[in-house]
Amino acid sequence: MKDLVKIKTALISVYHKEKLDNILDLLNSYNVKLISTGGTKSFIEEKGYKVEAVENLTDYPSILGGRVKTLHPKIFGGILARRDNESDNKHLAEYNIEGIDLVIVDLYPFEETLASGAKEQAVIEKIDIGGISLIRAAAKNFSDVLIVSGRHMYDRLIELLKSNNGSSGISQRKSFAADAFQVSSHYDTAIFNYFNSGNEIKALKISVSEGSVLRYGENPHQQGLFFGDFDAIFDKLHGKEISYNNLLDIDAAVNLISDFNDCTFAILKHNNACGLASREKLSDAWKDALAGDPVSAFGGILISNREVDAGTAKGIDKIFFEAIIAPSYSKDALEILKKKKNRIILVHKETKLPSTLYKSALNGMLVQDKDLKTDTVADMKTVSRKSASAQELTDLEFANILVKHTKSNAIVLAKNKQLVASGVGQTSRVDALQQAILKAKHFKLDLKGAVMASDAFFPFADSVEIAGKEGITAVIQPGGSIRDQESIDYCDKHNMSMVFTGTRHFKH
């Protein structure tokens, strides 16, 4: 490899000491001089390696409780000096500054400290100054210096040293520098977002360090990537590689099921529920969820908020599906479900999902709070003369949760805590309702005594009239139309009940 630089001197200053032993052993074998400070220096000495203290080079001790250790021209001069620059070399000689060829440094755990709920002063003390400066300096001078910006790079460093006999190549140094700037920018983003938690500064800073290349995007001709820590939310037990479209459906499924406390099973297709039921037994919830639309269930995403048992798994095994998600599975259930090698089987861990949504639009980004409002019976205001029965109130609450997670314009028809049918993504509310009625009739599901939920107000009374003629007895909607009274009047004339929630649930 051309442009190899022999590593003669290394500065090591790390917060995390794990996995450093192999690096030290390798550097020692190549007779690399070690420079360090504080706890890292003590660690190196305990391992039996010779190391020079930063304080000996700078003639200054670590001061201000460790806040200032490496911030000195003799350190940064040795890192930033351009080896092919005559003026830089003269300054090195004049001020007796030794060149540094390798910098191994990591950063104080700011994000971890913040996530622990620590008090502000403890969080502030974990804002790294010296480390971030060393990273940026070494990365800037990648032409001559190799920067290792954390434990995640140790394996690559070992491979590099072994393959180059203790030297580094320009392309390798540039690659390591790119990682270093990723580390520093991610760190600064976390700090900025902490200080700007109230959004006083109208700036969007997002940084995700975990990324993976997908087979393709929404369609095979589109490139797709996922940025996020999938393993923090799921344990994947079985199945093929997860696709872009799988991830969208899995996201929709997890958000949907999180709003149900009763034993519930749901089937989703293209981000919408095509079947869902809440029952005392999971096997019954599965059967009634499937009954809502057994055709659309083909190739769908299945999710439950209870452990999947063998009996339920036997029923599930009869259909083709992409993925199943549950908090756990019995041993026998797993044996049944794993019979098909491509089935994706996920264990959903108890994790908190982000409360902010991002969406690219035009040449920018739209940002909004996630719709976390779940309307309960207490939020319902009866506007009709007839009040809903106890069972109808239960079904109205159930249906309204479902409609919140359904693409607009959306109508959901439900009965006895079962999704009877839904109309999704229609350009008019009437079309959504007619789609739902058509589907319910196709699968021979009785609409008499069912309830209807709408994600937004009815601009006219036509939808309520159509629903009433099909036997629907109770309606839930946000209200807010200038013609609300027409819908209320229809309910009063035809012995139907209607409640308003005051909350719209558009989903686009």
Side-chain angles (χ1 to χ4, degrees):
M1 182 184 293
K2 296 181 180 180
D3 301 310
L4 284 176
V5 170
K6 184 69 176 177
I7 297 173
K8 300 176 182 177
T9 303
L11 171 64
I12 307 175
S13 179
V14 295
Y15 183 87
H16 301 97
K17 312 300 189 293
E18 308 89 56
K19 299 173 65 177
L20 193 58
D21 304 57
N22 293 337
I23 303 289
L24 295 172
D25 187 57
L26 199 54
L27 292 175
N28 183 63
S29 72
Y30 293 122
N31 297 313
V32 176
K33 178 181 178 179
L34 303 181
I35 303 170
S36 190
T37 186
T40 307
K41 175 178 172 292
S42 298
F43 177 86
I44 295 172
E45 288 175 331
E46 289 171 6
K47 296 297 178 181
Y49 300 105
K50 185 178 179 182
V51 56
E52 183 169 359
V54 164
E55 293 85 349
N56 291 345
L57 295 178
T58 63
D59 290 327
Y60 273 90
S62 172
I63 62 173
L64 305 181
R67 281 189 166 197
V68 180
K69 291 180 283 190
T70 57
L71 295 169
H72 193 279
K74 283 203 170 184
I75 299 299
F76 281 85
I79 295 172
L80 286 165
R82 293 157 290 187
R83 309 306 197 260
D84 60 354
N85 184 289
E86 184 178 351
S87 176
D88 285 6
N89 286 322
K90 284 182 179 179
H91 282 137
L92 291 180
E94 180 180 354
Y95 297 107
N96 193 28
I97 298 173
E98 184 175 1
I100 297 173
D101 312 300
L102 169 65
V103 175
I104 302 176
V105 63
D106 61 12
L107 300 172
Y108 290 161
F110 174 82
E111 289 182 280
E112 292 87 341
T113 304
L114 179 61
S116 73
K119 294 182 178 179
E120 182 174 81
Q121 189 54 43
V123 173
I124 296 302
E125 285 305 315
K126 288 299 184 288
I127 297 176
D128 207 310
I129 303 301
I132 203 81
S133 302
L134 290 169
I135 286 176
R136 290 179 63 84
K140 176 178 179 176
N141 200 27
F142 70 87
S143 293
D144 300 294
V145 180
L146 178 66
I147 173 64
V148 178
S149 52
R151 294 170 293 174
H152 64 289
M153 297 296 285
Y154 283 3
D155 289 341
R156 284 185 62 187
L157 174 62
I158 290 171
E159 182 183 351
L160 179 154
L161 292 171
K162 288 181 177 179
S163 61
N164 296 333
N165 196 30
S167 299
S168 66
I170 183 65
S171 63
Q172 295 167 327
R173 294 193 297 275
K174 190 170 185 179
S175 174
F176 275 59
D179 176 82
F181 282 120
Q182 189 281 129
V183 168
S184 66
S185 64
H186 178 83
Y187 197 75
D188 284 339
T189 294
I191 295 169
F192 167 77
N193 286 332
Y194 170 71
F195 279 93
N196 195 45
S197 59
N199 293 314
E200 293 89 355
I201 300 172
K202 303 306 178 205
L204 177 64
K205 305 289 183 183
I206 303 172
S207 179
V208 183
S209 296
E210 300 286 338
S212 57
V213 178
L214 304 174
R215 283 176 293 165
Y216 50 80
E218 202 161 6
N219 300 292
H221 63 277
Q222 295 170 269
Q223 184 182 14
L225 300 98
F226 172 68
F227 292 97
D229 189 359
F230 187 84
D231 294 337
I233 305 176
F234 302 103
D235 286 328
K236 184 182 177 187
L237 305 183
H238 185 74
K240 64 182 179 180
E241 181 183 346
I242 296 173
S243 71
Y244 182 99
N245 291 329
N246 289 155
L247 287 169
L248 289 175
D249 283 329
I250 290 169
D251 176 71
V254 167
N255 281 290
L256 171 64
I257 206 72
S258 68
D259 272 346
F260 288 92
N261 295 317
D262 294 339
C263 175
T264 301
F265 203 106
I267 307 167
L268 288 89
K269 197 74 168 287
H270 295 294
N271 311 157
N272 294 297
C274 57
L276 187 145
S278 296
R279 296 288 182 264
E280 290 188 9
K281 291 177 58 179
L282 187 66
S283 57
D284 292 334
W286 153 251
K287 290 174 186 175
D288 288 343
L290 181 64
D293 188 345
V295 174
S296 295
F298 181 87
I301 301 289
L302 315 182
I303 189 166
S304 166
N305 59 3
R306 296 291 190 275
E307 178 174 279
V308 175
D309 58 88
T312 305
K314 287 178 182 177
I316 293 169
D317 186 53
K318 297 175 183 178
I319 73 164
F320 167 72
F321 61 90
E322 286 282 315
I324 183 168
I325 308 162
S328 59
Y329 304 83
S330 72
K331 182 180 177 181
D332 291 340
L334 275 179
E335 287 182 5
I336 294 167
L337 296 173
K338 284 183 176 181
K339 288 192 297 185
K340 301 289 176 64
K341 67 176 183 178
N342 286 333
R343 281 177 176 166
I344 299 167
I345 303 176
L346 301 174
V347 171
H348 183 204
K349 304 175 186 178
E350 287 189 19
T351 50
K352 185 178 180 181
L353 294 173
S355 58
T356 304
L357 299 178
Y358 305 92
K359 187 174 184 178
S360 61
L362 301 175
N363 61 349
M365 297 279 289
L366 291 170
V367 183
Q368 68 169 347
D369 296 332
K370 182 181 285 187
D371 184 0
L372 298 176
K373 172 68 174 173
T374 302
D375 305 298
T376 65
V377 172
D379 299 306
M380 300 177 193
K381 177 185 177 183
T382 301
V383 293
S384 57
R385 281 200 295 265
K386 180 185 178 184
S387 297
S389 67
Q391 181 60 52
E392 286 174 332
L393 287 172
T394 297
D395 284 341
L396 287 170
E397 185 176 308
F398 175 91
N400 206 53
I401 293 173
L402 265 166
V403 85
K404 164 187 162 182
H405 292 277
T406 304
K407 296 279 187 180
S408 300
N409 286 315
I411 291 288
V412 163
L413 307 179
K415 185 178 180 180
N416 298 325
K417 295 166 73 172
Q418 176 191 19
L419 171 59
V420 176
S422 59
V424 305
Q426 297 301 303
T427 52
S428 81
R429 206 151 297 283
V430 169
D431 286 347
L433 174 58
Q434 289 176 334
Q435 180 191 60
I437 292 170
L438 184 65
K439 183 166 284 191
K441 289 182 176 179
H442 178 75
F443 294 115
K444 297 179 172 53
L445 295 171
D446 186 12
L447 288 175
K448 288 182 173 56
V451 304
M452 175 172 69
S454 175
D455 61 338
F457 66 63
F458 294 106
F460 305 100
D462 48 4
S463 294
V464 179
E465 182 179 348
I466 293 169
K469 290 179 178 177
E470 296 295 338
I472 290 164
T473 56
V475 179
I476 184 169
Q477 60 145 318
S481 169
I482 60 173
R483 305 179 76 159
D484 275 343
Q485 193 59 48
E486 294 177 14
S487 297
I488 297 170
D489 289 344
Y490 184 87
C491 289
D492 289 341
K493 290 177 183 177
H494 296 85
N495 200 34
M496 296 171 65
S497 61
M498 177 175 283
V499 299
F500 285 1
T501 64
T503 304
R504 189 179 72 184
H505 290 292
F506 271 163
K507 184 184 178 189
H508 295 101

